[in-house]
Structure formats: structure tokens, C-alpha cells
Amino acid sequence: MAATVFYLDDIPEPGATAVLDGPEGRHAATVRRIRVGEALTLSDGHGILADSEVVAAAKDRLELKVLSKRVAEPWTPQVTVVQALPKSDRSELAVELMTEAGADAIVPWQALRCVSNWEAKARKGVEKWRAAAKQAARQSRRAYIPDVADLHTTRDLLELVRAAKANGALVAALHESGEFRLTEMSFEGVPEVILIVGPEGGLDDSELKALTDAGADVVQLGPTVLRTSTAAAVALGALGALTPRW
């Protein structure tokens, strides 16, 4: 893969010319100062990768000759992070870290003890998370941009957990009260892992009971209690070593 990845919705076949404009084109041409003759990788954010060469550059757009095109294999198992809303100053950081660490999907959750409340600004919050996920995916040269779902209530989350369990997923609610650690779980044959990360104040007892009733396992991540904004990234690192993802 080339040193730089930029996202383009519709990538043409090898031999054709792709046009990178809009925010991606401005970032490439103005911020990164990419010039004619340089190589970069295009991705549609859904697994397609294309090696290309810049054949023309303007102030806010690049024209690129597509040299080759391929599909990147998705990681197995797929990992969805349910992230209780962190404080506003750490919210997008949490998304960036979990994207760089390999999250395949992200679900923002309005938990009981969340300091942040998106009730009146859910659309804006989700859009910020999607932008943060895209930027972090580019930074880490990912072929897949994590899907960021709409804001979930606890009722929505419980429905998600039940449906995932019915499809063979492993659901782990990260909490210090767990009787065993994430590293002690078996992931053999598991198609999807769902990690549930609570807010700064921790998961409420009623939430823990509802989640376990829905089929989730309450597990410790490790010997220390981590910030909500970093817990998912640490858990994803552990999963990378425990499963074929790495």
C-alpha cells in the first residue's frame, strides 16, 4: 500500500482517471501538497483499494491514473464498540483511538451516568464521530472506515445485544465487577465481538443487570480501571493478539 490513503466513493477501473476533489481533494492538494508523479492509494472506505499515480494537480483537486484495484479482506472476527458518550473534550478522541486500533463499527450510547447528553444534538454528535472515524481511518491507512451508528438508547442497545447473541456474537460489557478477564474468553468460531464501554461514572447496576439478562458477559479488561475514552482501544489491542485479526 502507498504511504497515503484518500477516500473516493466511486473508484474507476485500472487505466482510467480518477478525480479527487471536495474536502479530500483540498486536503491532498493544499494540506499535503501532493504533486504530479506521486503515488497514493485510493479507497472507497468499504474495502476497495486502488494504487494510483497523480497525473494533474490543481489548488483543490487531483487527477490520478488508476494502476491497479483490489479488495482488502475484512478482519475476523468483526468488532463493534458500543461507546457510552464521553465528556465532550474526549469524545472524538475516543473515536479516533478505537478506529486506529481496529474497530469495525461504533455505536454511540446514551448511558445513565454519561456526563454528555446528546438528546438535543444527536445528529451533530454522530456527524462529528463519523468525521473523526474517517480522519483516523486515513491516518491508519484503513481500507474500511468504521460505520458509526445513530445514537442508541439503552433500549436500543438491549435489542442490539439480543440480535447479536442470536447470530452467535460474543458480547462483553467491560466492568471491574466481572468474574473473569477478556483475555480468558474463547473467541474460536465467533463471527463478531461486541465491546460495551461504560461512561466516566461507570455502568449503573440496573444497566449491568439488563445487559446480562440480554446475554452479555460482564468481564474485566485488565488489572486497572481505564478512562472511557481509552478503554476500547486497549480492548481492541488485546483482541488483536487473542484472535486472527493481527
Side-chain angles (χ1 to χ4, degrees):
M1 183 183 294
T4 306
V5 174
F6 288 95
Y7 295 105
L8 184 65
D9 291 338
D10 187 14
I11 300 175
E13 295 302 314
T17 299
V19 176
L20 190 66
D21 54 13
E24 290 286 285
R26 285 192 294 275
H27 184 78
T30 304
V31 179
R32 297 295 301 271
R33 299 175 183 264
I34 294 173
R35 297 294 181 257
V36 173
E38 292 191 46
L40 58 82
T41 298
L42 296 173
S43 174
D44 66 350
H46 301 286
I48 293 178
L49 294 169
D51 294 322
S52 66
E53 180 181 339
V54 179
V55 295
K59 182 179 179 180
D60 58 358
R61 62 180 262 151
L62 298 176
E63 293 182 15
L64 309 108
K65 181 179 180 180
V66 177
L67 304 177
S68 64
K69 191 174 177 180
R70 60 194 183 280
V71 178
E73 289 293 327
W75 291 320
T76 303
Q78 292 282 285
V79 179
T80 295
V81 176
V82 177
Q83 175 68 60
L85 304 180
K87 296 177 182 177
S88 58
D89 61 338
R90 303 185 69 86
S91 183
E92 290 165 58
L93 172 64
V95 175
E96 292 171 1
L97 291 175
M98 70 179 74
T99 298
E100 292 175 10
D104 298 294
I106 300 168
V107 178
W109 172 36
Q110 187 73 62
L112 284 173
R113 295 179 179 173
C114 284
V115 175
S116 294
N117 189 327
W118 282 12
E119 185 175 352
K121 54 181 181 180
R123 183 181 297 275
K124 183 178 180 180
V126 169
E127 288 175 352
K128 285 185 175 181
W129 279 28
R130 287 172 178 162
K134 185 174 184 178
Q135 292 170 1
R138 182 195 296 124
Q139 169 68 30
S140 49
R141 305 174 192 174
R142 290 188 52 170
Y144 293 88
I145 300 172
D147 176 67
V148 178
D150 291 333
L151 179 65
H152 275 46
T153 64
T154 297
R155 178 179 294 180
D156 296 330
L157 173 57
L158 295 176
E159 291 178 359
L160 183 154
V161 170
R162 295 188 190 100
K165 289 294 293 184
N167 289 322
L170 186 154
V171 182
L174 305 179
H175 193 266
E176 64 268 23
S177 68
E179 295 183 1
F180 50 92
R181 296 182 180 177
L182 186 66
T183 53
E184 298 172 323
M185 303 184 78
S186 174
F187 300 96
E188 186 175 357
V190 174
E192 181 184 14
V193 176
I194 296 179
L195 300 172
I196 301 174
V197 181
E200 283 89 351
L203 292 170
D204 185 82
D205 288 344
S206 64
E207 292 169 335
L208 283 171
K209 183 178 186 308
L211 287 167
T212 54
D213 288 348
D217 294 306
V218 180
V219 301
Q220 296 180 40
L221 178 54
T224 60
V225 177
L226 301 175
R227 287 180 181 270
T228 184
S229 54
T230 56
V234 173
L236 283 158
L239 286 175
L242 293 168
T243 69
R245 288 171 63 87
W246 285 6

